[in-house]
Amino acid sequence: MKVKVRIAPSPTGFLHIGTAQSALYNWLFAHKNGGEFHLRIEDTDKERSTKEYEQSILDALEWLGLKWDGKVVRQSENTAKYREVLEQLLSEGKVFYCHHTKDELEAERQAQEGEKVPPQHVCNHKDSEKGTTPGGIIRLAVTRDADSTVSFEDEIRGHIEFKTSLLGDFSIAKSLDEPLYNFAVVVDDADMEITHVIRGEDHISNTPKQILIYEALGLAVPKFAHLPLILGSDKSKLSKRHGNTAAIGYKKDYLPEAVINFLGTLSHTFSKEIMTKKEMIEEFEFSKVHKSGAVFDVKKLNWINSQWVKNLDPAIFWKIMNVIPGFSLSDDDTTLITERLERLSDAQEFSYFWKEPEYDKELLKWKKADLDKSIETLTEVKKIIDDFDFEKGKDGLRKVLDEFSVKVGDKGLVYWPFRVALTGREKSPDPVDIAFVLGKEKTLERVEKAARLSS
Ligand code: GLU
């Protein structure tokens, strides 16, 4: 049987980073097994679902390179199917209309809470007709045999079992045209011939309900694999209060390969830290997926990104950065930036390569020495550079500047104002390297301008 998996995001928000991880694991499993990876948009919540969110979910998956097979399935296009299945189940007496009102159900829930028993509704009046009474939601008639259980073998967690008697006659639709999550998922997964449902562990409690719906429909139950959640620093499920949870929000700072690498290695043991998607396919196994949640460690993400940036083809790097249309540095010079970059937006820290730096003249001051001292050495540095033949190479210039530093008696007093003159920053690669990227003329201009600032 061909492996078919899916992710089923709701377009009520951006693609959550946790769903992006589920998408990756589904995608890896599908590719490992020569199967298919599908995308289903769960847009039955008409009030909260939007086309914009749907588009942003598609964009995020494309950005991450998690291409789905076939067409996008939308639950909103399946309403006739849900109705048909509900009518069939009603006629078979497997589901029924419940006429209890919201107030009655709420009173029951509160009483159960008081008695510390799990909330559930067992209906004493199962009706196959909607009738005219208020309420009228549709529930599954669940066996109440005290010993009966519903269980499954989770591909990651092993045997999981629930007591059927604790589930009550749970609701599956608000009306024939308003299916609820558990019911719609089962109808769709069966329709799409999904073989493995791979999703977050927050859905474990839904699984017994879904299995009972499969059984009521006389359908084969797929295999389930519940992934650990991504956690915030306080070990609770990653949410907006921990920071950015939208996968697409990472686009401005990270390469998609790095995000995929990070999400992949976060909850699955691989043989090394830097992994391509292709390498992950080879090694992916449910047995290597962790059982407990992992904390989202942005430092780790930054490090992984820095490794990917370092190995990026310089032409691609400049295309992604697009700092000034057409601007780029030679391949060698590009490494001055790519060797030091963790987040893409940090490239702005190197903007002195493509635009004049702006800074306060006080920055030219070296430690406790006064500004005049810096200007004095800077004026000498200008002369040194003026006399220096750039053809002789960086080491030659470094040698002359070092000799001058010995004379001055403080290396910082030479290199600090030189660095600031070229970059306008406290931190940068070696100013001699920068001078050779800028070239003699621009270097002289900047040093001269700095020396003039003090007057
Ligand atoms: N719409 C559900 C969610 O986003 C789908 C869960 C599932 O994969 O069954 O959580």
Side-chain angles (χ1 to χ4, degrees):
M1 196 165 43
K2 187 169 198 161
V3 162
K4 281 192 181 172
V5 297
R6 62 18 172 217
I7 55 156
S10 304
T12 53
F14 296 107
L15 183 78
H16 190 279
I17 193 80
T19 314
Q21 189 192 41
S22 297
L24 171 62
Y25 288 177
N26 272 279
W27 188 94
L28 291 172
F29 182 73
H31 282 78
K32 168 116 193 188
N33 293 287
E36 292 175 8
F37 165 65
H38 290 273
L39 171 61
R40 182 171 73 229
I41 298 289
E42 304 218 312
D43 56 353
T44 42
D45 182 343
K46 293 193 192 82
E47 267 151 44
R48 293 172 56 227
S49 300
T50 71
K51 276 280 161 199
E52 288 72 29
Y53 281 136
E54 179 183 314
Q55 189 55 48
S56 74
I57 291 170
L58 269 52
D59 291 345
L61 290 170
E62 279 191 56
W63 172 62
L64 291 169
L66 300 174
K67 195 68 192 109
W68 55 91
D69 294 299
K71 280 203 203 137
V72 177
V73 176
R74 286 181 195 83
Q75 287 195 323
S76 57
E77 289 162 9
N78 265 356
T79 39
K81 176 85 190 173
Y82 306 130
R83 190 183 178 99
E84 183 192 315
V85 177
L86 281 170
E87 279 172 341
Q88 176 207 325
L89 288 172
L90 275 166
S91 72
E92 292 169 356
K94 291 177 175 164
V95 308
F96 62 90
Y97 281 104
C98 163
H99 296 295
H100 288 93
T101 62
K102 267 199 180 127
D103 291 345
E104 285 168 335
L105 293 170
E106 180 55 23
E108 184 181 50
R109 197 190 63 77
Q110 281 182 10
Q112 286 166 343
E113 209 172 72
E115 289 164 34
K116 296 207 172 2
V117 294
Q120 53 162 293
H121 176 65
V122 175
C123 209
N124 51 14
H125 181 78
K126 298 181 167 57
D127 208 334
S128 63
E129 300 289 327
K130 175 149 177 30
T132 50
T133 48
I137 61 168
I138 302 171
R139 294 177 179 275
L140 188 79
V142 177
T143 319
R144 254 186 324 286
D145 177 350
D147 297 328
S148 86
T149 57
V150 50
S151 66
F152 60 100
E153 298 305 317
D154 191 282
E155 299 289 303
I156 296 168
R157 287 149 208 280
H159 187 76
I160 298 183
E161 191 172 284
F162 290 84
K163 262 187 178 308
T164 317
S165 58
L166 297 180
L167 298 174
D169 298 324
F170 60 88
S171 52
I172 61 164
K174 285 200 239 170
S175 73
L176 284 178
D177 295 317
E178 295 169 289
L180 289 168
Y181 162 71
N182 281 311
F183 175 72
V185 162
V186 169
V187 172
D188 289 332
D189 282 342
D191 220 31
M192 292 165 74
E193 297 175 329
I194 297 302
T195 57
H196 296 74
V197 173
I198 308 170
R199 59 183 173 198
E201 67 173 322
D202 44 345
H203 284 289
I204 289 182
S205 60
N206 287 319
T207 305
K209 295 179 181 173
Q210 292 177 13
I211 292 173
L212 291 177
I213 297 172
Y214 277 104
E215 286 174 356
L217 286 167
L219 293 170
V221 180
K223 293 201 178 331
F224 292 96
H226 289 95
L227 303 166
L229 299 180
I230 301 183
L231 311 176
S233 46
D234 60 357
K235 305 269 167 78
S236 66
K237 184 182 173 181
L238 189 75
S239 69
K240 280 189 187 140
R241 76 197 151 83
H242 297 111
N244 181 21
T245 54
I248 201 73
Y250 290 84
K251 190 173 174 180
K252 75 174 188 9
D253 274 323
Y254 302 97
L255 296 173
E257 294 84 354
V259 175
I260 287 289
N261 189 157
F262 171 72
L263 292 175
T265 50
L266 190 61
S267 312
H268 182 289
T269 302
F270 287 107
S271 59
K272 52 194 175 83
E273 287 192 293
I274 299 301
M275 297 284 293
T276 64
K277 262 200 317 224
K278 223 168 146 201
E279 289 170 325
M280 284 195 226
I281 294 173
E282 293 294 313
E283 293 185 24
F284 186 83
E285 301 280 351
F286 283 133
S287 62
K288 293 184 190 159
V289 176
H290 308 161
K291 291 188 182 64
S292 41
V295 172
F296 187 100
D297 179 1
V298 79
K299 281 202 197 102
K300 186 73 188 272
L301 172 60
N302 288 348
W303 178 79
I304 291 177
N305 198 50
S306 72
Q307 303 305 303
W308 278 91
V309 169
K310 218 183 258 187
N311 291 315
L312 208 55
D313 177 335
I316 296 180
F317 172 75
W318 289 109
K319 200 166 160 218
I320 294 172
M321 300 316 302
N322 193 25
V323 287
I324 290 183
F327 180 88
S328 68
L329 296 177
S330 74
D331 291 2
D332 268 358
D333 292 341
T334 300
T335 61
L336 289 175
I337 304 177
T338 51
E339 292 275 345
R340 292 172 170 80
L341 211 58
E342 289 204 321
R343 294 173 308 168
L344 299 178
S345 63
D346 293 343
Q348 283 311 318
E349 287 172 17
F350 300 85
S351 62
Y352 45 81
F353 283 126
W354 53 88
K355 63 177 194 218
E356 285 288 318
E358 279 171 29
Y359 54 92
D360 189 306
K361 68 179 181 191
E362 287 299 307
L363 197 60
L364 291 162
K365 232 166 81 173
W366 168 240
K367 290 203 171 154
K368 292 214 169 70
D370 52 25
L371 185 57
D372 290 349
K373 260 298 185 219
S374 290
I375 300 304
E376 228 171 79
T377 50
L378 209 45
T379 311
E380 278 308 307
V381 167
K382 193 190 147 251
K383 282 190 202 140
I384 291 172
I385 290 171
D386 218 353
D387 294 341
F388 187 78
D389 176 5
F390 268 47
E391 295 290 314
K392 287 188 187 154
K394 293 178 195 177
D395 288 341
L397 181 59
R398 238 171 239 132
K399 194 160 163 264
V400 202
L401 288 172
D402 285 347
E403 280 163 11
F404 175 54
S405 302
V406 173
K407 254 201 332 214
V408 173
D410 185 349
K411 203 169 172 181
L413 199 48
V414 176
Y415 281 93
W416 176 268
F418 183 36
R419 174 196 306 285
V420 174
L422 297 189
T423 67
R425 295 186 172 264
E426 293 179 25
K427 267 194 224 135
S428 75
D430 183 340
V432 174
D433 284 333
I434 296 171
F436 272 76
V437 176
L438 295 174
K440 186 165 176 171
E441 203 181 321
K442 219 176 238 170
T443 301
L444 277 173
E445 262 170 40
R446 290 192 186 177
V447 172
E448 202 171 13
K449 190 174 157 204
R452 260 190 283 121
L453 276 178
S454 65
S455 49

